[in-house]
Amino acid sequence: YPAGFVYIFLGLYHATGRGSDTRLAQYLFAGLYLLNLLLVFRIYCRTNKVPPYVFFFMCCASYRIHSIFVLRLFNDPVAMAILFLAINLFLEERWSWGCLLFSLAVSVKMNILLFAPGLLFLLLLRFGLLGCIPKLCICALLQVVLGLPFLLVNPVGYLSRSFDLGRQFQFKWTVNWRFLPEEVFQNRVFHAALLLAHLAGLGLFALHRWHRSCAGQLGSCCGMTHPASPVCALNASAWIVFILFSSNFLGVCCSRSLHYQFYVWYFHTLPYLLWCTPTTKLAHMPKVLLLGVIELCWNTYPSTVCSSLSLHICHGLILLQLWYGTAPTPVSHTPPPSRKSTAMSKKAK
């Protein structure tokens, strides 16, 4: 793991009597769980898209999430809590501090990089090509500072092991690809196909959903002008969150393997992804059902052909909803009223 993980868990190690006081560690992670919920709720309040009753499922209905936080004490919740703090800062227009916290989250767990394409898109839209370079330097500089003790001793070993993009996962732990034969799961061609699918998805969303749909509203928020942009259905905060959450979700859908603790990577973003698009009264129950099926898939241990296929079907349905539910609405060009009709309306008055 990267250096930030070492420092945080070294502090937990000493705070819990060299790891002997498990109860204290669980109390600390319970506090982290509540803080994480507070940060997530604050994001959802800014966007104002999710109905209040959905928060019950986020708080109380996930055995797996409670296990990941309080029973297993994984580093994934630590990274996600820092990430949600960074998103709160982005919504407050504190981009430099947000980039600093984003980089800190990356230093705890590399999965935060799934949000990076969306963040890069936002930085380019907000600051332009030259203006976003200082923000990227903040992210890079923090990684250097945190990793300096390791980089001075063994730079190649630290970089190759902390940010191992070619890591081989064990088939027995996969949640999402159980229906495949193990030889296909381990095949490099399959890995390359997933990477291409991920890049294609990011490109399509950036060109046809992130850019065309949200450029006008983001521009009004960020001080940029786009005179030809269509009117956005969501407010600027909602579009910032949409871009970051959908960027991460595309990465999760194309992941080579999802282990059980990886559920926390996107669990708290699922309600937003489901309800950010226009929803009729009859459509609420299918969305709640999707949340329930996803939860059931993640609670099936060990994973089965049925559970992994069901998870992919749910992911596919959410992707289809995001694609079609955020399609740019065509701008209607209504002809100006003729002089004759204007005169007739005046006579009628």
Side-chain angles (χ1 to χ4, degrees), residues 39-50 58 83-84 86-92 95 114-115 118-119 121-122 205 210 214 218 221 234-249 268-276 322 326:
L39 294 170
V40 171
F41 287 175
R42 194 170 185 273
I43 293 171
Y44 277 66
C45 287
R46 288 292 299 268
T47 58
N48 196 28
K49 296 302 296 181
V50 179
M58 193 186 298
L83 182 275
F84 288 129
I87 294 177
N88 274 278
L89 291 171
F90 294 146
L91 297 181
E92 296 289 344
W95 292 91
L114 296 178
F115 291 88
L119 177 59
F121 182 91
L122 289 170
F205 266 77
W210 295 350
C214 68
L218 277 176
C221 167
L234 304 178
N235 57 42
S237 295
W239 274 113
I240 292 174
V241 175
F242 169 72
I243 290 173
L244 292 172
F245 283 7
S246 59
S247 173
N248 177 66
F249 184 70
H268 294 98
T269 71
L270 285 174
Y272 184 81
L273 294 174
L274 284 167
W275 270 272
C276 68
L322 292 176
T326 59

Side-chain angles (χ1 to χ4, degrees), residues 12 20 22 33 70 75 122 129 162 165 176 184 192-193 203 236 287 290:
L12 289 170
S20 61
T22 309
Y33 174 72
V70 182
N75 62 332
L122 289 170
L129 182 59
S162 297
L165 298 176
N176 56 337
V184 175
K287 293 184 178 184
L290 270 178

